[in-house]
Amino acid sequence: FLWTALEFLRFWTTGNNWNAIGYSQAFSRIFVGWASTGGIYLVGFLLVFFNVLFFYILITKIREIRLLGIVPFLLFVFTLYLSPESGNQNEKRDQAFVVAVQPNVPMSGLNYAKYEQLKRRHVELAENAVREVRQNNNSDQPITVVFPESPMNFTYSEDAEFQEFVGNFAVKNDVSVLFNAAEPDARSKTYFNSAVMVDRSGAKIAQYDKIYLVPFGESVPSPLKNIMPALVGSFSYGEEYDLLPFGDAKAGVMICFESHFGNLSREFVRSGADVLIEMTNDGYLGKTPILRQHLANAVFRAVETNRPVLRVTNVGITAYINERGEISDAADSYAEATRTWTVAKSDGSQTFYVRYGDWFAWLCSLASLALLFLSFWKRKMNEA
């Protein structure tokens, strides 16, 4: 109880719960299904519970270990048996295609000539994938090309040249385009970190502004704003849980760090999202385990919401994650790649986690306070 409560406290006091112990189960089928009931906190609780139970038996009942050692094993099997399984939302429904582009844009050395070359390379990769979709599928289903967050720092509203570039690409290829851009915030005269969608006519039709900014990376807390700058830039906080159209389906967009927040994807699904799109750039992390840790976050967002997550990244790991948290089509890191997936309207069902959020973490917090109070009270009574 206390472990879970402290992880929850870390989240609420710092806005960060990176590498909470439950994330270690992202690539295992043992406990991950329970995320649809109680989120990452229930999975972490179960993991710690079975470890503590086994250790307790080991150190206190060593003489009877042959008999009692079977207890955690039986509980473990029981938990596996009852673990909720998410369903497949996309069977026998009208589908739309998504072309994910992993451009592998370098984190430095972007002069104007290199910038223009990389823009053209985005188009080449996307057009080849779109052409292949149309050759292999005799249908007029809509196609959306998704470019990831990247260090190219696209703008749209204030860049007529880029508007023309994206519009021409969309019209020529009869596709919608979703891309990351810095969009102006008229209220504060700063910018949002945004996901912008342009439709097949070349017109802007939707925008989502990043709600959860990286602390000290994209925004500095108010008391410190005049003392220190943000590492990347001082962005405005988005406020709306905007959904973007993908054919008949609707998508919620998580921009990079936002895949870390179960309450964000939960709100998207409560608002009607059929699928989740993650746009991220982990290029600044280098070839480290953090790329896989970030992927683990997305696995839990899929299971918690019973919605697929389409992960589109700059340098990796681009991948499709189904409602059960199973990863497929993962691209190699630090390499150019494209992936083509389908999305469809869901049946609209909501998991227990989507309906009630972090109820289990709150329960553990209350239980911890009660247990701490009883411990101190008992100690005081014994001293008396």
Side-chain angles (χ1 to χ4, degrees), residues 167-179:
N168 290 342
F169 168 71
V171 172
K172 175 186 174 183
N173 294 281
D174 192 29
V175 297
S176 298
V177 189
L178 177 63
F179 54 92

Side-chain angles (χ1 to χ4, degrees), residues 216-332:
F216 299 98
E218 295 173 314
S219 180
V220 176
S222 296
L224 302 175
K225 276 189 176 181
N226 296 327
I227 302 175
M228 62 181 298
L231 295 176
V232 178
S234 295
F235 291 94
S236 297
Y237 286 89
E239 298 177 350
E240 302 294 331
Y241 296 91
D242 300 281
L243 300 180
L244 283 60
F246 282 72
D248 293 333
K250 295 180 179 179
V253 176
M254 304 177 292
I255 301 177
C256 196
F257 180 64
E258 290 190 309
S259 66
H260 180 59
F261 297 91
N263 45 336
L264 174 64
S265 51
R266 171 180 174 251
E267 287 300 327
F268 282 139
V269 172
R270 282 163 56 91
S271 300
D274 305 295
V275 63
L276 300 171
I277 308 289
E278 181 186 355
M279 306 164 66
T280 189
N281 172 35
D282 287 345
Y284 56 90
L285 301 171
K287 296 181 179 181
T288 67
I290 301 178
L291 273 68
R292 189 166 170 83
Q293 292 168 5
H294 202 170
L295 175 63
N297 284 245
V299 169
F300 274 87
R301 305 297 83 84
V303 178
E304 287 168 349
T305 60
N306 195 34
R307 297 294 188 272
V309 173
L310 281 60
R311 194 163 192 266
V312 187
T313 73
N314 176 31
V315 300
I317 302 170
T318 296
Y320 182 93
I321 306 168
N322 70 14
E323 301 89 341
R324 294 177 298 279
E326 298 165 343
I327 301 167
S328 60
D329 256 357
D332 293 335

Side-chain angles (χ1 to χ4, degrees), residues 153-173:
N153 297 324
F154 293 140
T155 61
Y156 184 81
S157 296
E158 298 179 341
D159 189 338
E161 182 182 356
F162 185 70
Q163 291 177 28
E164 183 180 6
F165 172 82
V166 173
N168 290 342
F169 168 71
V171 172
K172 175 186 174 183
N173 294 281

Side-chain angles (χ1 to χ4, degrees), residues 108-178:
S108 60
L110 287 182
N111 55 34
Y112 181 77
K114 185 68 173 178
Y115 180 88
E116 289 298 308
Q117 176 188 346
L118 286 167
K119 274 202 313 184
R120 291 192 296 272
R121 186 57 182 156
H122 277 64
V123 168
E124 291 171 5
L125 290 167
E127 286 183 337
N128 289 339
V130 169
R131 192 178 303 115
E132 187 174 341
V133 169
R134 294 210 165 102
Q135 288 174 349
N136 296 336
N137 299 274
N138 186 20
S139 71
D140 59 354
Q141 293 168 323
I143 300 174
T144 300
V145 173
V146 182
F147 296 145
E149 182 187 45
S150 89
M152 291 183 71
N153 297 324
F154 293 140
T155 61
Y156 184 81
S157 296
E158 298 179 341
D159 189 338
E161 182 182 356
F162 185 70
Q163 291 177 28
E164 183 180 6
F165 172 82
V166 173
N168 290 342
F169 168 71
V171 172
K172 175 186 174 183
N173 294 281
D174 192 29
V175 297
S176 298
V177 189
L178 177 63

